[in-house]
């Protein structure tokens, strides 16, 4: 996990950028605050590089080192003067090498081939870089400066699992790309979350103050195919850089009415194996620098719902297959706002841990393999950090964003209590990686209001269309926001349900194998996951637990979604 940032100062004009800004001047503290937020994301190192052309380019990066055994500082320069800022994890990279080093070498080879070809057009270069990046398995965002070409390239993975913002500040000719940008660094019209279309680029001549912004879509779409604001899906960022329901074609669900035998356990076992491997990749490729770690370096946001129960079980099983993790206890982090006894998620979390300890009992954990961390947020605590969380959310600015973002922020802080021998003791998890069940509902049909209604409206064809929309807009509804709030604590969010191989497997199946909305809630929604939970040994009340939205289960809605949020 890293915080990455690039800014171009002194630009007289930039073609291709329709961002306007209502601020006449930069607010003096915006750069300082942005740097602080970047440093929060990467506590292991922070580096900067400056270049003057006459346009000034500034690169900044912080690093949370989770791979390779030692800290690789960024911006990372190669032997040809190319600079890489990389925020992500590559699960199909060389196992013994740091991801950033490995990717820097491959990108450098692409640039060297382009320069040796003598071609004037940059289009083949963009195509080859995008092909390389799209071959990566895992979440990423990046900024890449090719100094010999006066070229800045940046973008996000196909789903947009890592935050990347694009902004303009004031009328002083400053353009920036950043993992995070506090709210007062830009107005609502001049800060956007970049869509995961492919690559973006900024080109300039070394003796010029004029730049060109361009984008290079994965599917060959051009500016002519971009849509008007009136056609954007509800809540989408109102900017021409966004495509309607964009998602790579290979993940579009087939509009199929095929029916399969869902009573067979063979398919469910295959699904469990694919999900288990996704969880395993996110644990086994974790290599922290040689620093003492008093407990497991990963934890799980835990509500006690079906998604988190299955993830907790699979994480436990992965730990049991590795000697260094086998005897340690897994932290399950549960958040509630207000009186804990009134929180629905607190009740289901306590029950869920008891159920997990029942089916996961072993000699290595005589008192249980799971530690429930109780994070209690009262009104005073919420008000203390409310503005800070609001800055992190930017440009997501709805009351629901505040409600969900606050729950994740306090959960990622992981500061609470644990119960031992009927007494409560203060406890803070030392995890560096935080697992979440995000993506399960979008992938498996977990939203009653949209998914069941779509099925009732037009059967599996309408349901497939609705699920496609969910997966295509998750980058601006959830992923960027969640990455920003979790990373603020120097932790990385890992999402097994949004693993490429998990998505490939699920979207290859007829929808009747995944969910069945002819059956009641708690049975037909996310049916393949409920069948998996049953096979793992969970008892019926846990298998059939109905979905409860995070803001209701944690009671954060009561604290966060009020008029004061809109006025403050």
């Amino acid at each position: 996990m890293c915080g990455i940032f690039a800014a171009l100062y002194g630009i007289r004009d930039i073609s291709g950028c329709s961002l306007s800004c209502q601020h006449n001047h930069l607010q003096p503290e915006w750069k300082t605050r942005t740097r602080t937020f970047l440093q929060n994301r990467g506590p292991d190192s922070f580096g900067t590089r400056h270049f003057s052309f006459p346009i000034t380019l500034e690169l900044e990066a912080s690093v949370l080192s989770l791979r390779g055994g030692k800290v690789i500082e960024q911006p990372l320069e190669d032997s040809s003067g190319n600079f890489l800022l990389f925020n992500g994890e590559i699960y199909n990279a060389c196992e013994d090498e740091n991801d950033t080093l490995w990717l820097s070498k491959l990108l450098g080879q692409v640039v060297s081939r382009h320069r040796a070809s003598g071609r004037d057009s940059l289009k083949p270069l963009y195509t080859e870089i995008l092909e390389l990046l799209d071959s990566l398995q895992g979440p990423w965002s990046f900024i890449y400066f090719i100094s010999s070409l006066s070229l800045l390239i940046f973008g996000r993975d196909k789903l947009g699992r890592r935050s990347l913002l694009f902004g303009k500040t004031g009328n002083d000719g400053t353009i920036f790309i950043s993992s995070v940008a506090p709210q007062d660094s830009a107005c609502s019209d001049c800060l956007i979350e970049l869509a995961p279309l492919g690559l973006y680029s900024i080109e300039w001549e070394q003796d010029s103050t004029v730049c060109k912004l361009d984008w290079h879509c994965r599917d060959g779409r051009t500016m002519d195919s971009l849509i008007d604001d009136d056609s954007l899906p509800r809540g989408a960022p109102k900017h021409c850089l966004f495509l309607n329901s964009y998602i790579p074609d290979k993940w579009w669900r087939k509009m199929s009415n095929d029916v399969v035998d869902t009573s067979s356990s063979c398919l469910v076992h295959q699904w469990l194996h694919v999900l288990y491997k996704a969880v395993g990749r996110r644990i086994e490729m974790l290599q922290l620098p040689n620093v003492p770690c008093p407990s497991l370096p990963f934890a799980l946001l835990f509500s006690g719902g079906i998604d988190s129960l299955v993830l907790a079980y699979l994480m436990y099983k992965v730990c049991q297959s590795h000697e260094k993790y086998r005897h340690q206890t897994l932290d399950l982090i549960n958040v509630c706002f207000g009186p804990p006894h009134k929180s629905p998620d607190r009740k289901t979390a306590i029950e869920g841990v008891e159920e997990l300890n029942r089916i996961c009992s072993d000699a290595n954990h005589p008192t249980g393999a799971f530690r429930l961390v109780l994070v209690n947020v009262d009104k005073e605590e919420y008000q203390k950090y409310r503005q800070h969380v609001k800055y992190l959310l930017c440009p997501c600015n709805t009351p629901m964003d505040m409600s969900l973002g606050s729950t994740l922020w306090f959960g990622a802080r992981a500061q609470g209590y644990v119960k031992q021998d009927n007494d409560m003791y203060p406890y803070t998890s030392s995890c560096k990686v935080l697992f979440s069940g995000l993506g399960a509902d979008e992938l498996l049909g977990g939203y009653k209001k949209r998914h069941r209604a779509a099925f009732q409206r037009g059967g599996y064809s309408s349901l497939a269309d609705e699920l496609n929309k969910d997966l295509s807009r998750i980058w601006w509804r959830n992923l960027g926001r969640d990455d920003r709030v979790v990373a603020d604590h120097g932790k990385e969010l890992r999402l097994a349900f949004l693993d490429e191989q998990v998505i490939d497997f699920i979207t290859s199946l007829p929808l009747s194998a995944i969910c069945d909305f002819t059956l009641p809630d708690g049975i037909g929604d996310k049916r393949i996951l409920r069948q998996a939970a049953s096979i793992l040994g969970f008892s019926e009340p846990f298998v059939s637990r109905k979905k409860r939205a995070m803001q209701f289960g944690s009671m954060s809605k009561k604290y966060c979604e009020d008029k004061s949020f809109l006025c403050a």
Side-chain angles (χ1 to χ4, degrees):
M1 170 62 69
C2 303
I4 59 178
F5 175 90
L8 287 162
Y9 304 98
I11 298 174
R12 181 170 56 85
D13 183 43
I14 178 165
S15 63
C17 178
S18 59
L19 289 178
S20 60
C21 188
Q22 300 170 3
H23 295 159
N24 292 327
H25 303 285
L26 285 173
Q27 296 203 21
E29 68 273 17
W30 88 269
K31 184 61 187 303
T32 301
R33 182 171 283 137
T34 300
R35 177 172 287 182
T36 299
F37 278 46
L38 289 168
Q39 289 174 323
N40 288 348
R41 294 175 63 91
D44 294 330
S45 78
F46 183 79
T48 64
R49 295 297 296 264
H50 296 260
F51 310 86
S52 295
F53 298 101
I55 289 174
T56 297
L57 170 65
E58 183 177 34
L59 304 176
E60 295 186 351
S62 63
V63 174
L64 170 65
S65 184
L66 298 173
R67 184 81 184 276
K70 67 176 182 178
V71 178
I72 302 298
E73 296 184 356
Q74 298 188 39
L76 179 63
E77 181 180 8
D78 68 12
S79 58
S80 300
N82 306 309
F83 292 83
L84 175 62
L85 295 79
F86 180 71
N87 173 28
E89 298 295 323
I90 306 175
Y91 299 125
N92 58 338
C94 177
E95 290 189 10
D96 297 325
E97 190 169 8
N98 177 272
D99 290 346
T100 308
L101 275 174
W102 183 81
L103 182 58
S104 177
K105 291 176 183 177
L106 294 182
L107 287 170
Q109 292 169 10
V110 173
V111 174
S112 296
R113 285 195 295 271
H114 172 80
R115 295 182 65 186
S117 71
R119 291 177 296 211
D120 292 330
S121 172
L122 292 175
K123 187 175 180 179
L125 175 64
Y126 296 135
T127 299
E128 192 171 353
I129 288 178
L130 185 55
E131 288 176 352
L132 167 62
L133 292 168
D134 280 350
S135 71
L136 307 180
Q137 293 184 19
W140 54 264
S141 63
F142 86 113
I143 300 171
Y144 192 52
F145 175 48
I146 305 174
S147 58
S148 61
L149 299 175
S150 298
L151 176 63
L152 196 66
I153 304 175
F154 47 101
R156 304 167 75 181
D157 71 72
K158 296 173 184 177
L159 285 169
R161 288 167 291 186
R162 291 289 175 260
S163 171
L164 197 62
L165 308 176
F166 181 82
K168 182 179 181 181
T169 55
N171 293 330
D172 65 342
T174 297
I175 295 291
F176 69 88
I177 305 106
S178 182
S179 299
V180 62
Q183 190 162 357
D184 61 359
S185 68
C187 63
S188 59
D189 293 327
C190 60
L191 181 67
I192 60 172
E193 190 140 19
L194 285 171
L197 301 174
L199 296 181
Y200 298 84
S201 64
I202 298 177
E203 306 172 35
W204 67 93
E205 300 292 335
Q206 289 202 1
D207 58 353
S208 173
T209 57
V210 177
C211 297
K212 178 186 177 184
L213 170 67
D214 206 352
W215 48 92
H216 316 276
C217 295
R218 289 185 168 89
D219 58 4
R221 299 185 205 190
T222 64
M223 180 67 174
D224 295 336
S225 67
L226 298 174
I227 61 174
D228 298 328
D229 283 355
D230 292 341
S231 303
L232 285 166
R234 186 179 64 167
K238 303 298 184 188
H239 194 269
C240 68
L241 286 179
F242 299 93
L243 295 178
N244 189 8
S245 296
Y246 170 78
I247 196 169
D249 288 340
K250 76 166 193 167
W251 282 338
W252 280 94
R253 291 181 183 273
K254 299 178 179 66
M255 305 301 183
S256 171
N257 292 317
D258 295 344
V259 178
V260 298
D261 180 10
T262 57
S263 64
S264 171
S265 63
C266 179
L267 192 65
V268 182
H269 278 101
Q270 291 178 40
W271 154 238
L272 266 175
H273 178 73
V274 171
L275 187 58
Y276 173 82
K277 297 295 286 186
V279 172
R281 277 188 289 277
R282 283 154 177 77
I283 290 177
E284 291 160 359
M285 300 187 77
L286 181 60
Q287 299 171 346
L288 296 177
N290 294 322
V291 294
C293 187
S295 59
L296 288 173
F298 44 86
L300 172 65
L301 290 169
F302 187 74
S303 67
I306 188 70
D307 311 337
S308 59
L309 284 169
V310 171
L311 280 181
Y313 179 92
L314 295 178
M315 292 173 73
Y316 162 79
K317 284 298 184 181
V318 172
C319 289
Q320 291 308 294
S321 66
H322 294 273
E323 181 61 33
K324 65 178 178 179
Y325 297 143
R326 185 172 297 162
H327 302 279
Q328 298 198 57
T329 304
L330 176 63
D331 286 342
L332 305 179
I333 300 169
N334 177 261
V335 182
C336 81
F337 288 69
H341 68 277
K342 293 185 178 182
S343 168
D345 276 4
R346 179 58 52 85
K347 179 177 183 294
T348 55
I350 292 171
E351 293 170 349
V353 170
E354 292 174 354
E355 177 75 353
L356 282 164
N357 281 326
R358 179 186 69 81
I359 64 176
C360 298
S361 60
D362 64 78
N364 294 326
H365 302 90
T367 60
F370 304 92
R371 180 189 297 112
L372 184 60
V373 183
L374 306 174
V375 177
N376 303 326
V377 184
D378 59 25
K379 198 161 190 175
E380 181 180 354
E381 186 83 351
Y382 168 69
Q383 290 294 342
K384 180 179 179 181
Y385 294 103
R386 177 174 170 275
Q387 189 62 49
H388 180 80
V389 174
K390 189 177 177 182
Y391 280 145
L392 287 166
L393 295 175
C394 189
C396 299
N397 58 5
T398 69
M400 182 175 287
D401 287 320
M402 190 66 185
S403 177
L404 298 174
S406 296
T407 305
L408 288 170
W409 190 86
F410 283 105
R413 190 175 68 162
Q415 182 178 312
Y417 297 87
V418 295
K419 187 175 181 180
Q420 186 175 348
D421 299 328
N422 294 321
D423 291 320
M424 302 292 284
Y425 297 92
Y427 178 83
T428 300
S429 177
S430 60
C431 67
K432 295 295 184 182
V433 166
L434 200 58
F435 279 73
S436 164
L438 177 62
D441 292 315
E442 289 80 1
L443 197 61
L444 305 176
Y447 290 115
K448 175 182 176 180
K449 186 175 181 180
R450 291 200 307 276
H451 297 160
R452 184 172 289 277
F455 180 80
Q456 292 171 345
R457 184 172 61 248
Y460 282 115
S461 179
S462 293
L463 177 59
D465 184 58
E466 192 65 32
L467 289 169
N468 284 336
K469 290 178 182 178
D470 275 351
L471 203 55
S472 70
R473 59 196 174 196
I474 194 172
W475 62 271
W476 58 263
R477 280 191 166 183
N478 302 89
L479 293 175
R481 176 198 68 203
D482 295 356
D483 173 73
R484 290 190 292 277
V485 295
V486 170
D488 189 55
H489 296 288
K491 293 180 172 66
E492 180 175 274
L493 186 63
R494 296 197 173 179
L495 308 169
F497 284 107
L498 293 180
D499 179 89
E500 287 87 349
Q501 293 183 33
V502 169
I503 298 176
D504 283 340
F505 179 81
I506 286 296
T507 54
S508 72
L509 301 176
L511 277 178
S512 58
I514 300 165
C515 51
D516 183 356
F517 286 108
T518 65
L519 299 174
D521 292 342
I523 300 175
D525 54 307
K526 296 188 286 191
R527 191 181 183 202
I528 194 170
L529 186 63
R530 298 182 187 280
Q531 290 172 316
S534 181
I535 288 174
L536 295 178
F538 289 97
S539 56
E540 195 279 333
F542 294 90
V543 172
S544 60
R545 271 190 175 165
K546 296 180 181 180
K547 174 178 170 55
R548 185 189 300 115
M550 183 192 297
Q551 66 269 31
F552 297 110
S554 68
M555 301 198 307
S556 63
K557 179 179 174 65
K558 180 180 178 182
Y559 277 64
C560 306
E561 296 190 33
D562 54 30
K563 292 181 180 179
S564 64
F565 168 73
L566 301 175
C567 300

